[in-house]
Amino acid sequence: MTNLATYFDQLLFVALPYVAFFVFFLVSITRYHWRGFTYSSLSSQFLENRQHFWGLVPFHYGIIVVLTGHVVAWLIPRQVLWWNDRPLRLYILEISALACGLLTLIGLVSLMLRRLTVSKIRVVTSKLDWVVLLLLLAQVVSGVGTAVLYPWGSSWYAAMAAPYLWSILKLNPDLTYIAAMPPLVKFHIVGAFALILVFPFSRLVHILVIPNPYLWRKPQVARWYRAPGEAAGEPV
Amino acid sequence: MKGVLHVAPLAVLVLAGPAMGQDAADFFRQNCVSCHTIGGGRLSGPDLKNVTQRQDRAWLVQFIQNPQAAMDRGDPIALRLREEARGVVMPRIVGMDQARAEALLNMIDAESKLEKSQFVGLQISDQPFTPADIAQGRRIFTGDRPLAGGGPACISCHTIRGLGGLGGGFLAPDLTKVFERMGSRASLASWLLAPATPGMQATFRQRAFTSEEILPLVALFEDTGRGGGQDARVGNFVFLLFGLGGAAAALVAFGFAWRWRFKAVRAPMVEAGRRVRGLV
């Protein structure tokens, strides 16, 4: 490996993650403390609802599964490798993950087209939104590309990328696991750190304030409290 | 006090001697045995027994630190070594410097004087492998027989011809012809004993293959090498098609699950609530 490549690896896979996580925690906490009401996805569903469905739903279902997969393989790599010990189980896991990756991509492209083509939505889209969307697009394309060109990621991620990420967490970075990875995989890793870096400045912060109880709480119906036949008006 | 100061450097030398030797032996085990033996015959690289008697020591120290540089400047000895190794170039080894190269040569000199060096390498029979050996190798390759050290199955990153299903991985080279590339059972087995590529080294340094795993793998690779070229990446294409099919099915499911989304939201929920309470 040349000295220049080593230098870039140190910059992108040692310095960048620490900068990204430091900024993430610092800005997320201070923003929540000082400007807590800006923690929002700033939903535009009220402005346009039909196209919104085919972007929002596939994107979120896809990304939630894919991100969960990355976290699980990082937390319990041995168990993931055990699951993948049978080729059929490996193939089922990989196909499911690829389908979710493609759903994410379809949803994201649909959301971006909506922001480009619907005038009301274009007005409420900031430059930072575009930065986040383009970063997400690069990340999802490189992720799907990695899955297709370099199978089987669920196994080699657990065996090679997870130890690297743990080494970052333990403040003892070990680049030997990823030094020889193909450029596309390295791009995907750097893209993840870039997204963590812009996360606290953007509307992505809504991930931190998901109203989880909605998952198990029974639906609540708001009813006007008025006598039958009375005209609709302000709730009493 | 003065006496102590005089003695101290000597003590350091005496203590450092065996420690450096052990360090060099460990380094050799981790980085060199995949291609070299000391007295066990040629693998990918030459047998290093008495190498300092065959070759100038200063040249060796320089070459070990950066083999590629010697090739680049057209060094005739380096070029001959590459030819003898059938084009395989010795990689630049992380952590190699002049002091370590000197220590390695000292260790090789010491091992060369022994009747049987600890680095004589794996001795493998020339007898043909049995179908059972090859089947075991295939089980290890696919992960059906997990590696004792806890490492990932070969299929995670590699493929071979005739694997079936969606095939193996493509992060690392196709191993169909690896036996041909390595040249012999001993070379391949030694390589597996201490893999030399950065990715393999990182992954398997704490999870080394056992000899009970290496022999069936050598049997498998010898067998796959005989049967023709590499498979086309058909499994890869089928994998993409399955993924696209799954995504399309999910989209249809979303459309079906939320098919009433523009017709009513509140009314059906109120209706359901009334039904539960027996008001309907």
Side-chain angles (χ1 to χ4, degrees), chain B residues 62-63 65-75 78 89-90 92:
Chain B
Q62 201 179 13
F63 177 79
Q65 290 178 71
N66 193 348
Q68 186 62 52
M71 314 275 172
D72 293 344
R73 65 173 177 268
D75 186 296
V89 177
M90 177 172 151
R92 194 173 180 179

Side-chain angles (χ1 to χ4, degrees), chain B residues 92-111:
Chain B
R92 194 173 180 179
I93 298 167
V94 177
M96 182 67 79
D97 54 19
Q98 183 168 352
R100 199 178 282 280
E102 296 272 10
L104 278 173
L105 290 176
N106 290 340
M107 189 277 296
I108 291 168
D109 279 345
E111 289 287 330

Side-chain angles (χ1 to χ4, degrees), chain B residues 55-193:
Chain B
Q55 193 61 44
D56 177 55
R57 191 181 175 95
W59 183 93
L60 283 169
V61 169
Q62 201 179 13
F63 177 79
I64 292 169
Q65 290 178 71
N66 193 348
Q68 186 62 52
M71 314 275 172
D72 293 344
R73 65 173 177 268
D75 186 296
I77 303 169
L79 294 176
R80 178 171 54 77
L81 287 173
R82 185 174 65 183
E83 197 180 320
E84 287 170 1
R86 306 188 324 160
V88 177
V89 177
M90 177 172 151
R92 194 173 180 179
I93 298 167
V94 177
M96 182 67 79
D97 54 19
Q98 183 168 352
R100 199 178 282 280
E102 296 272 10
L104 278 173
L105 290 176
N106 290 340
M107 189 277 296
I108 291 168
D109 279 345
E111 289 287 330
S112 298
K113 289 179 186 140
L114 301 175
E115 193 177 330
K116 186 178 179 187
S117 164
Q118 60 177 315
F119 298 115
V120 75
L122 283 176
Q123 304 300 309
I124 301 181
S125 159
D126 288 336
Q127 295 295 312
F129 287 116
T130 65
D133 291 331
I134 297 165
Q136 274 301 315
R138 186 172 292 272
R139 287 187 61 211
I140 293 170
F141 190 94
T142 58
D144 197 26
R145 176 180 151 188
L147 294 170
C154 316
I155 195 176
S156 308
C157 304
H158 299 279
T159 192
I160 50 171
R161 186 181 48 77
L163 207 52
L166 297 178
F170 286 98
L171 184 72
D174 185 319
L175 297 180
T176 304
K177 290 287 179 186
V178 69
F179 186 83
E180 201 175 284
R181 288 201 295 273
M182 298 305 289
S184 71
R185 289 181 181 181
S187 289
L188 185 52
S190 298
W191 201 95
L192 287 168
L193 198 62

Side-chain angles (χ1 to χ4, degrees), chain A residues 1 3 49-51 53-54 57-58 61-62 78 81 84-87 90-91 94-95 98-100 102-103 106 144 147-153 155-156 158-160 163 174 176-182 185 219-224, chain B residues 92 142-146 149-153 155-157 163-171 198-200 202-203 205-207 233 235-236 239-240 242-244 246-248 250-252 254-255 258 261-262 266 269-270 273-274 277:
Chain A
M1 191 187 295
N3 287 336
N49 198 15
R50 287 184 181 272
Q51 245 176 295
F53 175 84
W54 293 110
V57 172
Y61 275 90
R78 278 173 179 269
L81 288 175
N84 286 349
D85 274 345
R86 297 281 186 279
L90 165 73
Y91 296 151
E94 286 282 342
I95 289 169
L98 177 62
C100 288
L102 289 165
L103 271 184
I106 291 165
V144 169
V148 175
L149 295 176
Y150 303 111
W152 304 110
S155 279
W156 59 251
M160 297 170 83
D174 184 354
T176 55
Y177 290 100
I178 56 159
M181 289 279 183
V185 179
Q220 291 176 354
V221 180
R223 297 185 186 184
W224 300 124
Chain B
R92 194 173 180 179
T142 58
D144 197 26
R145 176 180 151 188
I155 195 176
S156 308
C157 304
L163 207 52
L166 297 178
F170 286 98
L171 184 72
M200 285 287 284
T203 310
R205 68 186 157 199
Q206 306 290 343
R207 311 152 163 174
R233 293 182 65 160
N236 222 213
F239 170 55
L240 178 60
F242 272 122
L244 284 167
L251 287 175
V252 171
F254 292 148
W258 280 283
R261 65 189 181 280
F262 296 126
R266 185 174 170 277
M269 289 164 78
V270 173
R274 297 179 72 186
R277 289 178 180 78

